[in-house]
Amino acid sequence: MEKCWSHVFLLLTIFFFPQLLPQSHSSSDYRRHPPRPLIFTPHDLSKADPQQVHISLVGRDHMRVSWITEDKSVRSMVEYGKRPGRYNAAATGENTSYHYFFYSSGKIHHVKIGPLDPGTTYYYRCGGLGPEFSFKTPPSTFPIEFAVVGDLGQTEWTASTLAHVNQTDYDVFLLPGDLSYADTQQPLWDSFGRLVEPYASRRPWMVTEGNHEIEIFPIIYPHGFKAYNERWPMPYEESGSTSNLYYSFDVVGTHIVMLGSYADFDAQSAQYKWLQADLAKVDRKVTPWLVVLLHAPWYNTNTAHQGEGESMRKAMEEMLYKARVDVVYAGHVHAYERFTRVYDNKADPCGPVYVTIGDGGNREGLALS
Ligand SMILES: *[C@@H]1O[C@H](CO)[C@@H](O)[C@H](O)[C@H]1NC(C)=O
Ligand SMILES: *[C@@H]1O[C@H](CO)[C@@H](O)[C@H](O)[C@H]1NC(C)=O
């Protein structure tokens, strides 16, 4: 099928360091910017007020609204409508919470709302009180615009990245892993949720996990992903997956597969079997674009994290190749790089384009080589 790049403004990959472009500087005089300080974002409203509000796509025409309250009596209820202050619909959902050593989370609310009209602004309120938020649903036809940012963290660079992204009227935010860099310090998950709220409450944020989401502690938390799974549930059941660590969804002519670099991926694994079934169902007449996101890149010329994606590449690359995936986005390496179409380490016009986009602004700074 002949596809035209102009149909879809695929992807605002974020160069927030334009100096990285090789033509603007020779390698000898380019100095990478150092990391910037962490921003801790406090909650300055009441305990019942919603905080860390973020939304994600569920199915064709629903949205999940997620938020947290310190007050446990607040109801998991979202009121919404197409005019500010006029809520002619409401939905109730679920609540959860978790403990991690001495930390206990607030009440985490997840409410699915819809059906919603495409390309429409909705105004909403969480738990029956607090400020009004609004979001825009994706359109029903091309063009659609995605923003893709990996390894976000919560530093001054993160704030700069998000402010840049927000300058365009993109439709869906895609994050291939490494969200908060809380690294077991749970209050930093809350701080991250507050930092991203102004953006993640107005456009759907679709994420997959990175190594900073793992948070395994031997014997006590052997499976990991506790904070991630409770706070950032994605529509995995809707795509036949049994794990929040990998799933897929469709949005405007695009089938997006979110793989899990930190879930089993060998030929006997649940993820492998799920991916096989998922790719077999793709109808390129309905979704001519096929995009994959995962955390640890399969192709990487940096010394940072060299070879870490290799076993997953060996296990799954042929499946993506045969399915004629268009683009694979990865994070993990704190750099930007883009490969030509490639399969099995050789340029191949039928292989996907691989893009690493791990320079979102986290506290570890840029890859040095
Ligand atoms: C919170 O969830 C529990 C089940 O997990 C349910 O019994 C309870 O009614 C929910 N509370 C609210 C306020 O939604
Ligand atoms: C993001 O952009 C929108 C539209 O221009 C604007 O209304 C909003 O205030 C911006 N958000 C932030 C946090 O800057």
Side-chain angles (χ1 to χ4, degrees):
M1 179 183 309
E2 189 59 43
K3 285 175 301 177
C4 177
W5 277 92
S6 65
H7 272 177
V8 65
F9 297 115
L10 206 62
L11 305 165
L12 275 179
T13 39
I14 309 308
F15 290 97
F16 69 97
F17 301 119
Q19 300 91 323
L20 278 178
L21 294 171
Q23 57 267 37
S24 60
H25 282 262
S26 75
S27 54
S28 57
D29 64 11
Y30 175 66
R31 300 262 302 276
R32 285 173 172 76
H33 287 279
R36 282 191 176 167
L38 180 123
I39 298 176
F40 186 86
T41 309
H43 176 65
D44 41 25
L45 298 175
S46 84
K47 289 186 172 194
D49 274 302
Q51 50 169 302
Q52 309 174 48
V53 180
H54 59 94
I55 60 169
S56 47
L57 301 169
V58 185
R60 200 171 49 82
D61 54 8
H62 284 67
M63 199 75 86
R64 180 181 279 121
V65 180
S66 301
W67 78 99
I68 298 183
T69 54
E70 284 162 32
D71 181 338
K72 307 261 164 149
S73 68
V74 173
R75 289 180 62 207
S76 303
M77 188 260 302
V78 171
E79 298 156 284
Y80 60 103
K82 292 183 187 174
R83 289 167 60 193
R86 299 281 197 85
Y87 310 122
N88 54 3
T92 54
E94 306 164 353
N95 67 90
T96 181
S97 62
Y98 71 95
H99 297 276
Y100 194 89
F101 292 101
F102 299 111
Y103 170 90
S104 24
S105 76
K107 184 170 180 178
I108 306 175
H109 309 262
H110 300 295
V111 179
K112 226 159 65 173
I113 62 174
L116 304 169
D117 292 335
T120 303
T121 299
Y122 284 88
Y123 298 86
Y124 66 105
R125 195 164 74 154
C126 302
L129 76 168
E132 179 175 82
F133 297 89
S134 69
F135 64 74
K136 197 185 82 188
T137 53
S140 56
T141 54
F142 289 135
I144 177 160
E145 191 170 337
F146 298 101
V148 191
V149 185
D151 303 62
L152 200 50
Q154 45 187 318
T155 73
E156 290 174 5
W157 283 126
T158 311
S160 139
T161 302
L162 293 174
H164 273 91
V165 171
N166 192 57
Q167 283 170 12
T168 73
D169 189 28
Y170 70 94
D171 298 295
V172 181
F173 192 92
L174 304 174
L175 204 171
D178 283 2
L179 285 67
S180 70
Y181 285 70
D183 300 321
T184 74
Q185 295 181 53
Q186 299 302 306
L188 287 179
W189 274 107
D190 294 307
S191 170
F192 174 80
R194 295 176 206 125
L195 178 71
V196 305
E197 178 188 273
Y199 310 102
S201 60
R202 58 190 295 279
R203 290 293 182 276
W205 275 39
M206 307 305 285
V207 303
T208 188
E209 86 281 9
N211 52 303
H212 287 273
E213 274 67 68
I214 300 175
E215 301 187 316
I216 281 179
F217 194 88
I219 302 167
I220 303 174
Y221 302 112
H223 305 296
F225 303 105
K226 208 166 175 60
Y228 176 71
N229 285 338
E230 300 292 1
R231 293 166 184 270
W232 291 85
M234 288 292 122
Y236 65 91
E237 285 158 321
E238 287 75 3
S239 63
S241 161
T242 52
S243 166
N244 192 41
L245 302 181
Y246 47 87
Y247 65 98
S248 69
F249 62 100
D250 285 351
V251 57
V252 193
T254 315
H255 184 70
I256 301 188
V257 180
M258 300 295 237
L259 291 182
S261 290
Y262 304 95
D264 289 345
F265 44 68
D266 57 84
Q268 282 71 49
S269 66
Q271 178 172 208
Y272 186 99
K273 288 174 186 154
W274 167 81
L275 177 61
Q276 221 167 16
D278 186 74
L279 292 174
K281 279 184 285 197
V282 174
D283 179 352
R284 298 303 276 265
K285 291 193 189 73
V286 180
T287 56
W289 289 92
L290 182 48
V291 176
V292 172
L293 280 84
L294 49 84
H295 190 61
W298 294 357
Y299 288 95
N300 169 26
T301 65
N302 286 274
T303 46
H305 301 300
Q306 186 48 245
E308 288 180 25
E310 186 61 5
S311 48
M312 191 183 193
R313 180 186 75 79
K314 285 194 168 136
M316 293 183 151
E317 185 180 25
E318 190 182 352
M319 261 201 280
L320 301 198
Y321 179 71
K322 287 189 169 155
R324 295 290 183 262
V325 168
D326 294 293
V327 198
V328 179
Y329 284 94
H332 203 38
V333 177
H334 300 165
Y336 174 84
E337 77 176 328
R338 190 184 66 195
F339 290 78
T340 190
R341 295 186 173 279
V342 54
Y343 174 58
D344 201 14
N345 284 304
K346 288 183 280 296
D348 185 320
C350 297
V353 170
Y354 286 81
V355 183
T356 297
I357 187 65
D359 52 354
N362 63 78
R363 60 174 167 71
E364 293 172 350
L366 294 172
L368 291 179
S369 63

